[in-house]
Amino acid sequence: MDDGTGTRVPVRTHDAHAGAAGHAQRTLVVLAAVVVLLAGIWAARDLLGPLALGAVIVVIVHPLRFPLERRGWPSWAATTVVVVVGWLVILTIAGLVAFAVARFAVMVGDYTDELGSVVDDASERLAGLGLEGTAADAASTALDPARLVGMVTSLGSSAVSVLGALFVVFAYVLFMAADGARYGSAGRLFGDERGPALGRIARFTSGVRRYYVVNATFGAIVAVLDGIALAMLGIPAPVVWAILAFVTNFVPNVGFVLGLIPPAVLALVVGGWPLMLGVVAVYCVVNVVLQVLVQPKFVSDAVDLSLTLSFVSVAFWSFVIGPVGAVLCIPLTLLVRALVLEPDPSTRWLRWLSGDRTVVRGPQREPTPGVTPEPAPSAAADPA
């Protein structure tokens, strides 16, 4: 723009600064809203944890109704099957965890004297290495039988804390399964109007089912291999620890550590440090290779989540909604992406960062709202 004296005035500088400031303010407002939302979820975690668990259970077992209805079963009968299977899944997982925790607590009590001898031996070895005082006390505390029982009992209580409100979870499964029968007609009734939203829901539920199929498959493989190895090493109750390995496999990336503690402690008691190191080596070879190196790749491919996001989601959702968040972290992350990122074309790069490979499929780019696409180079006007 000419100001009348032959000097061009950059009139857009102020607008650019104002736009940048407005964008920064919007970003701060969004971040503040996210913090408030997460604080609310954290405050309501005792309610939302069972709700999320019930929803995931229904998503997993809901496809059972389709073959039954194709065979002529009435809708209420197919719904009943879905509800019963959902309840059986909850009871089975809770029973396995409770059995493993109770068995370990009993065995620690049976080996109290042996644990005391191990603690004394560890203290003497540390003192011989010149690590007296704090190091010896730490070893004694870590291997104290009462502390071990308390730690494992607390872990078991945390793992099944949401099942303390078992009736509530059962009710969620019942009501959601009944509603699921009605929602099956949403595509026929609202497909033209809500097609994209229904597509996102279908992709989310399919991803959740694929995730748990992969987890259950790897969990079964790891459990069998761990059980055989522990039996060969002479560890007491190898079947119990195989069951625990299967259950803890549903906690991504770090679950094998939870499953390692009981057999490692028992190996230390019955066979000393060499046997304990042998158990740790077995778990590192089997569990680390399968659960930490191989399985996350299959999970990433199944649900289109990056390995980093899969790992971080465990700590994040555990903090937000408690221990059940470690089990539901992947479905909850998929839900957030489906609700927040997928409806907005401008977040395609965030979806790509999260591991979503669908954003790079197809030759067309999705337009960004409020931004006019730049013309093709051949159509651009010649500056001269």
Side-chain angles (χ1 to χ4, degrees), residues 22-38 340-341 344 347 350:
H23 179 72
Q25 291 175 353
R26 286 193 298 272
T27 301
L28 291 176
V29 170
V30 169
L31 291 176
V34 169
V35 171
V36 172
L37 177 62
L38 292 177
V340 178
L341 299 184
D344 186 357
T347 61
L350 289 175

Side-chain angles (χ1 to χ4, degrees), residues 230-275:
L230 293 176
M232 294 176 63
L233 291 172
I235 305 301
V239 175
V240 176
W241 317 130
I243 291 173
L244 185 62
F246 173 77
V247 174
T248 55
N249 187 70
F250 289 93
V251 180
N253 302 303
V254 297
F256 85 94
V257 177
L258 304 178
L260 168 63
I261 295 174
V265 171
L266 289 176
L268 179 63
V269 170
V270 301
W273 296 99
L275 186 58

Side-chain angles (χ1 to χ4, degrees), residues 329-352:
C329 59
I330 300 298
L332 291 173
T333 302
L334 292 176
L335 180 63
V336 170
R337 188 172 70 183
L339 294 179
V340 178
L341 299 184
E342 292 186 8
D344 186 357
S346 66
T347 61
R348 291 178 73 249
W349 71 280
L350 289 175
R351 289 167 54 193
W352 178 80

